[in-house]
Amino acid sequence: MDISVVLGCSLGAVLGVVILASYKLGLLYQLFHKTETQSPRHGGESVAEVLRAHGVKFVFTLVGGHISPILVACEKLGIRIVDTRHEATAVFAADAVARLSGTVGVAAVTAGPGLTNTVTAVKNAQMAESPLLLIGGAAATLLQGRGALQDIDQISLFKPLCKFCASVRTVREIVPTVRKALAIAQSGTPGPVFIEFPIDTLYPYHVVEKESAPKNTSKSLFGKIMAWYLQNHLSNLFAGAWETCDLSPLPVYIPHATEDEVQRCVELVSRARKPVILLGSQATLPPTPADDVRKALESLGIPCFLGGMSRGMLGKNSPLHIRQNRRDALKEADLVLLAGTVCDFRLSYGRVLNRRSKIIAVNRDRSQLLKNSDMFWKPTVAIQGDAGSFLLRLSKDLKGHRCPEEWPRSLKEGEAIKEKANRAKADEKTERHLNPISVLHRVDELLAEDSIIVADGGDFVGSAAYIMRPRGPIRWLDPGAFGTLGVGGGFALGAKLCRPESETPVIALVGNDACWSQISREQVPMLGSNVACGLAFTDYHIVADGYGGKGYLIGREDESRLDDIIKKAQKECREGKAILLNVLIGKTNFRDGSISV
């Protein structure tokens, strides 16, 4: 081989290595972008500016030194910092804000255990399809993997839970990374995103310089190389940090049904004599206002079963809203429209659907759209698209057509029979304490029109789902498909901030049966033991007093004045007092046969 060829290849390889190293070390970037060593600005300001440009009004947190610059900068820009006492609560509150406001909810927590404490809440947001930005602190860029305080591989932890994960490596990356994350959180199927900010990307240059500069510089060659490396790393960290850049929101991608898909559904619905709509939480997502979805449903005249965030979509007493006998209705229906509803455990994996029915499924997420369709059901039309906008287009193209009135009327008649039976159960005397069904009926009757119902629990909340009637769209908050307990405090906090005028500030209704009844109901007859299910009739009302609220203990002796106590609680609530009603309840057979696993 020609010696010149060998030398040429070698020089090319060396040059390539040099260029790559220069790029990795930021040397090429620093040739064209200035490092402002005297600037007092810090990366937390960049985070706050992007959040403000995206309309973020609240950041929920449990403070830590890693994230202090973000919190301080947000406060200065008018973004309200709401501090909680557990990181999971911060994420639950951000989740509630996302659902109620149609924007991205934001939570900021410190590194290590601060982030690991959020895992359950982030998973809950993922399964509830809530657009949420989790901001996490992290060890300094040069110290990651070297045993720094609270340093773990956070990205690997959150990759299975989030649509997007990123670790900021320089200050100049902050703005584009946050913009990208916020857009991804809202695009397609909404969900959580995670950005970790190493501590040296958030504090000012002079602070980072002081912490990162070597204390005793060796005069050896290695010492000089190390000193140069550290100085270059610092310069690259801040190079181009304060150059003007675009803060505005990036486009959000939302999938929509095609014209052909909509037209095919129009034909199917127009021929149906007994259609049913199962509405899920996706129908409440932006960009379609919930009131527009309600008008579309009313125009179609098709009986609806509402689940998740769509509860309340048709108001308190709509002739189209069917609350009971869903399984029977699905057996009889000749067309079922799954509008954001998934064939998971809540629909017996699709087994409740009649195989002779025409089935239209609409969902933003393809895996959810077709879940269990390989086993128990088959969609006639499967549309990966937004449920809310689909319903508007369907209603528009079917203008003048309505479902035969005798069909929703017959379902309403069946519902009335079931409601009467439930009322009869409410009149039964329990062995001790109050009948929980009676309590829920009375609370529902006195519920303020602007109330937001936050559902957090098992058996008592399961009963409430059949009895309590949200008065309007997006006035029911439950954890969603993950079934997480403990969402109540965070959800109520987020709800109150989004809807300060609503009766949320806060009345907590505790159905206190001193038992994990949802588990005990199956465990005792099947396995013959109540182990770990029995609890105490705890004085939760005293806890409320200790936190500065007002607690009431309500037992059987208070039954005749229960309405008066509720009204008094509502009055005190309107005056700014947080209220807890500790209602001692007995056992009923209302939920016999309900699932707990």
Side-chain angles (χ1 to χ4, degrees):
M1 183 181 290
D2 193 313
I3 188 81
S4 61
V5 174
V6 174
L7 287 174
C9 291
S10 299
L11 287 172
V14 170
L15 183 60
V17 170
V18 170
I19 292 174
L20 180 62
S22 299
Y23 173 77
K24 288 287 188 181
L25 293 170
L27 297 175
L28 295 177
Y29 187 87
Q30 292 177 64
L31 288 175
F32 304 99
H33 301 273
K34 184 180 179 183
T35 300
E36 300 180 35
T37 60
Q38 301 304 311
S39 175
R41 295 193 61 187
H42 55 78
E45 296 172 349
S46 299
V47 177
E49 287 169 355
V50 180
L51 295 181
R52 182 177 65 174
H54 285 69
V56 173
K57 296 180 179 178
F58 313 107
V59 172
F60 299 92
T61 191
L62 200 161
V63 70
H66 289 87
I67 57 169
S68 289
I70 295 175
L71 305 182
V72 172
C74 284
E75 182 189 39
K76 286 182 178 179
L77 292 184
I79 298 172
R80 183 170 176 181
I81 301 299
V82 184
D83 58 310
T84 65
R85 297 300 176 269
H86 195 284
E87 290 87 354
T89 300
V91 175
F92 287 139
D95 184 345
V97 166
R99 301 189 199 192
L100 291 169
S101 69
T103 59
V104 178
V106 180
V109 300
T110 197
L115 275 162
T116 58
N117 276 349
T118 70
V119 167
T120 296
V122 174
K123 182 63 182 180
N124 193 80
Q126 180 194 44
M127 294 189 67
E129 299 174 348
S130 292
L132 184 147
L133 169 60
L134 176 64
I135 292 171
T141 51
L142 282 177
L143 295 179
Q144 290 182 353
R146 297 180 179 276
L149 175 67
Q150 299 179 332
D151 178 33
I152 60 171
D153 182 359
Q154 298 172 161
I155 296 295
S156 294
L157 184 65
F158 284 94
K159 271 187 177 179
L161 309 178
C162 296
K163 297 178 67 181
F164 171 78
C165 291
S167 179
V168 170
R169 310 316 291 173
T170 63
V171 180
R172 61 181 175 272
E173 294 175 23
I174 291 176
V175 170
T177 302
V178 177
R179 291 177 73 212
K180 180 180 180 180
L182 290 168
I184 290 174
Q186 300 170 86
S187 293
T189 305
V193 293
F194 169 58
I195 307 174
E196 73 166 17
F197 292 88
I199 194 168
D200 51 350
T201 66
L202 293 178
Y203 279 83
Y205 181 95
H206 69 275
V207 174
V208 178
E209 181 184 39
K210 181 180 178 182
E211 293 298 321
S212 62
K215 302 298 183 287
N216 298 304
T217 306
S218 169
K219 294 183 180 180
S220 67
L221 178 61
F222 178 79
K224 290 178 180 179
I225 292 173
M226 182 59 66
W228 174 86
Y229 176 80
L230 292 173
Q231 183 57 53
N232 177 72
H233 180 82
L234 178 64
S235 298
N236 185 51
L237 198 65
F238 285 88
W242 316 124
E243 294 175 3
T244 302
C245 54
D246 190 1
L247 302 173
S248 63
L250 294 169
V252 171
Y253 167 72
I254 297 172
H256 292 288
T258 66
E259 287 297 332
D260 287 345
E261 288 171 334
V262 174
Q263 187 55 43
R264 190 176 175 199
C265 294
V266 166
E267 293 169 2
L268 289 171
V269 173
S270 65
R271 292 197 296 265
R273 307 302 296 170
K274 294 182 177 181
V276 166
I277 295 176
L278 271 59
L279 207 67
S281 295
Q282 277 195 14
T284 67
L285 291 173
T288 308
D291 280 336
D292 289 353
V293 176
R294 174 184 57 79
K295 291 173 184 175
L297 294 172
E298 290 172 346
S299 174
L300 289 167
I302 299 174
C304 299
F305 290 90
L306 309 179
M309 289 290 294
S310 75
R311 292 176 187 269
M313 179 68 75
L314 293 168
K316 180 181 176 182
N317 292 311
S318 169
L320 298 177
H321 181 198
I322 314 300
R323 294 159 48 83
Q324 309 289 347
N325 305 320
R326 185 178 70 178
R327 184 179 291 267
D328 294 337
L330 291 174
K331 285 180 181 177
E332 199 173 345
D334 59 4
L335 181 139
V336 177
L337 170 51
L338 303 174
T341 298
V342 182
C343 287
D344 57 16
F345 69 94
R346 291 166 292 184
L347 280 180
S348 297
Y349 310 98
R351 285 176 293 193
V352 296
L353 299 175
N354 187 338
R355 288 187 176 272
R356 294 187 298 274
S357 301
K358 303 294 184 183
I359 300 174
I360 300 170
V362 186
N363 200 293
R364 293 193 186 192
D365 187 315
R366 185 163 182 79
S367 66
Q368 300 286 48
L369 173 68
L370 300 174
K371 190 174 287 294
N372 296 308
S373 64
D374 58 335
M375 294 185 66
F376 300 119
W377 69 288
K378 293 290 182 186
T380 309
V381 182
I383 300 170
Q384 186 176 359
D386 175 59
S389 60
F390 169 80
L391 289 168
L392 262 64
R393 294 167 66 188
L394 187 68
S395 171
K396 181 181 177 183
D397 289 355
L398 282 166
K399 191 172 184 180
H401 171 84
R402 283 184 67 83
C403 166
E405 292 185 2
E406 60 272 14
W407 170 236
R409 190 184 304 122
S410 69
L411 293 179
K412 270 295 185 183
E413 288 170 356
E415 178 180 77
I417 295 171
K418 187 68 175 288
E419 294 277 7
K420 185 177 180 180
N422 289 345
R423 278 286 185 179
K425 288 187 181 292
D427 294 334
E428 295 172 0
K429 283 288 183 185
T430 50
E431 187 175 335
R432 60 174 179 165
H433 303 310
L434 292 171
N435 183 319
I437 311 307
S438 174
V439 171
L440 290 167
H441 273 295
R442 292 166 76 173
V443 170
D444 181 63
E445 289 163 5
L446 295 172
L447 196 68
E449 290 300 309
D450 62 352
S451 292
I452 297 174
I453 302 169
V454 174
D456 180 13
D459 202 62
F460 190 58
V461 165
S463 299
Y466 283 94
I467 295 167
M468 309 250 333
R469 295 166 293 175
R471 300 327 196 224
I474 318 181
R475 293 193 175 276
W476 172 278
L477 286 174
D478 64 25
F482 202 34
T484 307
L485 299 185
V487 302
F491 276 16
L493 178 59
K496 179 55 185 171
L497 289 166
C498 285
R499 307 270 179 85
E501 74 288 350
S502 293
E503 189 172 84
T504 325
V506 173
I507 299 176
L509 177 69
V510 178
N512 187 352
D513 62 357
C515 184
W516 295 108
S517 291
Q518 188 162 308
I519 311 302
S520 177
R521 179 181 295 109
E522 294 176 339
Q523 179 175 306
V524 172
M526 288 177 65
L527 302 174
S529 172
N530 198 47
V531 63
C533 294
L535 304 170
F537 285 102
T538 303
D539 291 335
Y540 299 114
H541 54 291
I542 295 178
V543 177
D545 290 338
Y547 276 114
K550 174 63 179 174
Y552 290 90
L553 177 64
I554 303 171
R556 178 167 285 180
E557 65 278 8
D558 304 302
E559 187 168 15
S560 62
R561 59 190 193 94
L562 179 58
D563 288 3
D564 292 334
I565 295 173
I566 294 170
K567 290 175 182 176
K568 184 180 180 184
Q570 290 173 319
K571 180 177 181 295
E572 291 177 322
C573 174
R574 287 191 292 271
E575 293 170 354
K577 199 82 167 176
I579 308 296
L580 185 142
L581 306 179
N582 186 12
V583 184
L584 305 182
I585 58 174
K587 309 289 185 185
T588 74
N589 62 358
F590 181 73
R591 280 177 46 79
D592 281 0
S594 62
I595 62 170
S596 61
V597 292

